[in-house]
Amino acid sequence: MVKQVAVFENLNSGCVVKIGVDTGSGKYETVWNRKEYWNPPKYKMTLTTDRSYYFKRKRRKIQEAPQAVNPGIVNAILDNAVANVVAVKVEFNFGLVPGQKQIDAIGISDSEEPIEAKINTNLVFENLELLAVGRFRDFNS
C-alpha cells in the first residue's frame, strides 16, 4: 500500500506538478496535482549571446557551478492508499523556477507521517579520520 510519495529536490525546488502511480495495468493514475492556485510566473531563459555563434560551435560554454539554492521536499500524502504499485511517474515543469535543477531521491511509504531526510551515520565511519591520522603518524616515525 502506498500512502505517500516524497520527491527530494536538491536544487531550485518547486517544479513537481503531478504524480501518478501504475498498479501493473500500464496506465498511470494521477494521485497528486499541484494546487490550482499555485501558479507562479513562468520563467523563460534568454540567451545573452548571438545564437549563431553559440550553436555553431562544437563545444559549449563553461558555466560556473550553481549555489545550492532552495532545496526542498514535496511530500504528497495521498487521500486514498493505492495497493500493488509497480511504478511511480513524477512530472516536472522546469519553467516554473529559474536555474538548474537536481533531483536527489523519490521515496514511497505506507505511512501518513511525512518522510524526512536524515543522514545515516555509523561510528566506524566517523572515526576513520582519526584512524588515518594515527597510522600516518606511525608511518612517519
Side-chain angles (χ1 to χ4, degrees):
M1 297 290 262
V2 173
K3 186 67 178 164
Q4 174 184 185
V5 178
V7 180
F8 297 82
E9 297 176 274
N10 288 355
L11 204 58
N12 296 320
S13 66
C15 297
V16 178
V17 292
K18 190 191 303 187
I19 298 176
V21 295
D22 179 14
T23 57
S25 65
K27 295 182 180 179
Y28 288 90
E29 172 191 351
T30 300
V31 293
W32 182 85
N33 274 332
R34 189 63 79 181
K35 302 291 182 203
E36 291 179 17
Y37 59 82
W38 192 85
N39 192 12
K42 302 274 191 280
Y43 171 75
K44 184 175 180 183
M45 184 174 177
T46 58
L47 293 173
T48 58
T49 61
D50 181 25
R51 291 179 69 88
S52 63
Y53 172 81
Y54 185 78
F55 287 110
K56 289 184 180 179
R57 299 286 180 194
K58 288 185 179 179
R59 58 189 176 274
R60 299 286 179 163
K61 292 185 178 182
I62 298 173
Q63 297 178 351
E64 290 185 20
Q67 295 292 326
V69 180
N70 192 21
I73 303 172
V74 174
N75 285 331
I77 298 178
L78 313 181
D79 294 331
N80 300 319
V82 181
N84 303 324
V85 173
V86 296
V88 176
K89 177 179 170 182
V90 180
E91 292 185 23
F92 300 93
N93 182 352
F94 293 121
L96 293 176
V97 180
Q100 295 182 353
K101 316 305 183 279
Q102 186 176 27
I103 309 302
D104 183 42
I106 298 174
I108 60 172
S109 171
D110 61 354
S111 170
E112 288 190 13
E113 182 179 328
I115 298 174
E116 295 181 12
K118 295 182 200 171
I119 298 174
N120 288 335
T121 59
N122 190 334
L123 293 177
V124 174
F125 296 127
E126 290 180 6
N127 296 327
L128 282 178
E129 182 180 353
L130 298 174
L131 276 166
V133 170
R135 288 186 182 165
F136 182 71
R137 286 185 189 151
D138 293 342
F139 183 70
N140 286 335
S141 321

